[in-house]
Amino acid sequence: MAPAEFSAVTLFWASLGTSLCVASANTINQWAEVPYDSQMKRTKGRPLVRGAISSYHALAFGIGAGIAGSGILCTFTNHLVAGMGTVNILLYGLCYTWMKRSTASNLWVGAVVGAIPPMMGWAAAVNDINVGAVILAAVLFAWQVVLNSITTMQANCCYFRFHTLML
């Protein structure tokens, strides 16, 4: 979609770096959520909850994956993509995770987090954020707000019981 010539090398490094950033954010989120995940049927089988992975090792992996992912993006794509990857780790791993316990606005932050990776791919291809990238992100943002709203309404029995304000 981005107005650039296809580069398998850029695709590889952008995919690897973005995947590591996603792994970082998800790991940090699950590390922080163990007390709540252990009480919900949907999440009580996660490795941290079961004790299959120690809290220390999970956090070390999360931090290491974030550093590696952002470093790969900075080295092999560009600073813009690395910055977005780092911001996304912080938005999901810290802001969204904390906001689930304090405000229903977490839904909007979660949708932003989901809209950023396609913009990262665009920026990796053209080293810029332009109207096309913003439109792509806006479509994904809107889709995720709807999807997350429906999913949350279906799972409210679990979320409200554990003081998670999804809506």
Side-chain angles (χ1 to χ4, degrees):
M1 293 182 83
E5 187 174 318
F6 175 76
S7 167
V9 173
T10 300
L11 175 63
F12 172 79
W13 290 115
S15 297
L16 179 60
T18 301
S19 295
L20 286 166
C21 288
V22 169
S24 172
N26 288 338
T27 302
I28 292 167
N29 172 268
Q30 288 190 26
W31 171 81
E33 293 285 304
V34 169
Y36 306 103
D37 287 351
S38 65
Q39 300 174 50
M40 294 195 323
K41 183 178 181 180
R42 184 179 67 81
T43 56
K44 67 181 178 182
R46 290 181 173 169
L48 273 167
V49 174
R50 291 190 337 259
I53 300 170
S54 75
S55 180
Y56 170 80
H57 287 110
L59 184 59
F61 173 80
I63 292 169
I67 292 169
S70 295
I72 286 169
L73 293 171
C74 187
T75 303
F76 296 106
T77 62
N78 59 61
H79 296 319
L80 178 60
V81 178
M84 287 190 287
T86 302
V87 165
N88 228 18
I89 292 167
L90 298 173
L91 277 175
Y92 189 78
L94 302 178
C95 296
Y96 172 79
T97 299
W98 172 80
M99 289 176 75
K100 286 195 301 187
R101 308 263 167 256
S102 60
T103 177
S105 297
N106 71 75
L107 176 80
W108 303 100
V109 173
V112 168
V113 167
I116 289 176
M119 286 179 61
M120 292 169 66
W122 190 290
V126 300
N127 196 19
D128 190 23
I129 296 294
N130 56 27
V131 175
V134 173
I135 290 170
L136 177 62
V139 168
L140 284 164
F141 175 84
W143 172 77
Q144 288 181 87
V145 168
V146 172
L147 176 68
N148 291 339
S149 296
I150 292 168
T151 303
T152 299
M153 284 186 245
Q154 292 174 343
N156 268 343
C157 63
C158 295
Y159 287 127
F160 286 139
R161 188 177 322 141
F162 301 106
H163 310 291
T164 301
L165 303 170
M166 294 302 289
L167 277 178

